[in-house]
C-alpha cells in the first residue's frame, strides 16, 4: 500500500501498488510514478497531493478525476511527478537583483547566453533556487567546450538543461537524494 497525502500532509487514501503501476526515471526524459487501481469511490485528487516513493516526494501537478468504468466502479491512474520533473514547468529567466544581491527585482524570459558551461549551469542553479526554493549543487565533467551559446524564449529549466547538454554533447541528470 502507498499513502496519498494532501498538500498539507493529511492522509487522503491508501491504495495498493499493483502490477500496472509505472515508475519511470529516465535520463533527460521522464521522472514520475503512475499508480493504477480500481475503486468503488470516484473521489477526485487535488493538485498538490503527493506520495512518497523511495524517500522521494512525487506530487500531482494537475487535478485528477478517475474514469467511470461502470456504475459504481472507477479506474484511477494518476501521475505523480518528482521535483525534478516539475522543472518542465519552471522557467529560466535572467534575473536582475536588488542592491542586497538576493531579492529579485526583475526577470527577463527571452535571452541569449554565450559563455562557459559552468556559467550556464549557474543560471540554472539560480532559476531552481528562485523558481522552486530548492538549493541544488552542480558539477561539470572535464572535457566540456570552453564556450557555448544557448537561448531561451520562456524555456523551462528542463529544456535549458537539455540544450546545455546538447551543446556539450553529453547528458544531464539530477541526484535527488538529499
Amino acid at each position: 500500500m502507498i499513502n496519498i497525502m494532501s498538500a498539507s500532509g493529511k492522509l487522503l487514501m491508501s491504495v495498493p501498488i499493483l502490477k500496472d503501476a509505472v515508475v519511470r526515471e529516465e535520463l533527460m526524459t521522464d521522472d514520475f510514478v503512475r499508480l493504477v487501481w480500481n475503486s468503488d469511490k470516484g473521489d477526485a485528487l487535488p493538485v498538490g497531493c503527493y506520495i512518497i516513493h523511495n524517500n522521494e516526494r512525487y506530487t500531482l501537478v494537475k487535478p485528477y478525476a478517475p474514469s467511470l468504468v461502470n456504475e459504481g466502479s472507477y479506474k484511477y491512474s494518476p501521475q505523480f511527478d518528482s521535483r525534478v520533473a516539475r522543472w518542465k514547468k519552471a522557467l529560466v529567466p535572467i534575473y536582475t537583483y536588488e542592491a542586497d544581491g538576493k531579492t529579485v527585482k526583475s526577470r527577463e524570459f527571452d535571452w541569449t547566453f554565450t559563455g562557459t558551461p559552468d556559467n550556464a549551469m549557474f543560471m540554472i542553479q539560480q532559476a531552481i533556487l528562485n523558481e522552486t526554493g530548492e538549493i541544488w549543487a552542480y558539477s561539470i565533467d572535464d572535457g566540456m567546450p570552453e564556450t557555448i551559446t544557448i537561448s531561451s524564449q520562456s524555456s523551462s529549466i528542463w529544456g535549458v538543461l537539455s540544450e546545455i547538454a546538447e551543446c556539450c554533447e553529453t547528458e544531464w541528470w539530477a541526484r535527488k537524494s538529499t
Side-chain angles (χ1 to χ4, degrees), residues 51-65:
I51 61 171
I52 303 293
H53 174 70
N54 289 339
N55 296 319
E56 174 75 15
R57 183 175 170 149
Y58 290 79
T59 305
L60 195 66
V61 296
K62 56 185 177 183
Y64 178 83

Side-chain angles (χ1 to χ4, degrees), residues 2-95:
I2 192 164
N3 293 330
I4 299 177
M5 311 298 287
S6 72
S8 65
K10 177 184 169 198
L11 177 65
L12 295 177
M13 61 180 77
S14 293
V15 300
I17 301 175
L18 302 175
K19 64 178 171 54
D20 292 338
V22 176
V23 177
R24 184 159 298 144
E25 185 175 2
E26 294 179 19
L27 192 66
M28 295 177 49
T29 305
D30 285 315
D31 196 1
F32 65 84
V33 173
R34 183 178 302 124
L35 299 174
V36 178
W37 76 94
N38 292 318
S39 177
D40 59 352
K41 296 180 182 175
D43 298 334
L45 298 174
V47 170
C49 69
Y50 66 92
I51 61 171
I52 303 293
H53 174 70
N54 289 339
N55 296 319
E56 174 75 15
R57 183 175 170 149
Y58 290 79
T59 305
L60 195 66
V61 296
K62 56 185 177 183
Y64 178 83
S67 57
L68 181 64
V69 175
N70 56 45
E71 191 171 329
S73 181
Y74 297 88
K75 181 172 183 162
Y76 285 80
S77 59
Q79 178 173 307
F80 297 86
D81 288 334
S82 76
R83 59 193 171 140
V84 173
R86 292 192 310 271
W87 293 350
K88 290 178 179 181
K89 296 187 183 300
L91 302 180
V92 179
I94 298 293
Y95 299 99

Side-chain angles (χ1 to χ4, degrees), residues 2 5 42 75 95 99 108 125 129 136 155 161-162 174-175:
I2 192 164
M5 311 298 287
K75 181 172 183 162
Y95 299 99
E108 177 59 46
Q125 184 184 45
L129 174 62
W136 285 72
S155 298
L161 279 169
S162 296
R175 182 180 301 138

Side-chain angles (χ1 to χ4, degrees), residues 100-129:
D100 64 10
K102 295 179 182 179
T103 306
V104 174
K105 182 167 53 172
S106 68
R107 300 159 66 207
E108 177 59 46
F109 293 100
D110 296 336
W111 49 264
T112 297
F113 167 85
T114 299
T116 66
D118 185 58
N119 286 339
M121 288 303 299
F122 180 76
M123 288 176 17
I124 295 292
Q125 184 184 45
Q126 293 304 299
I128 293 170
L129 174 62

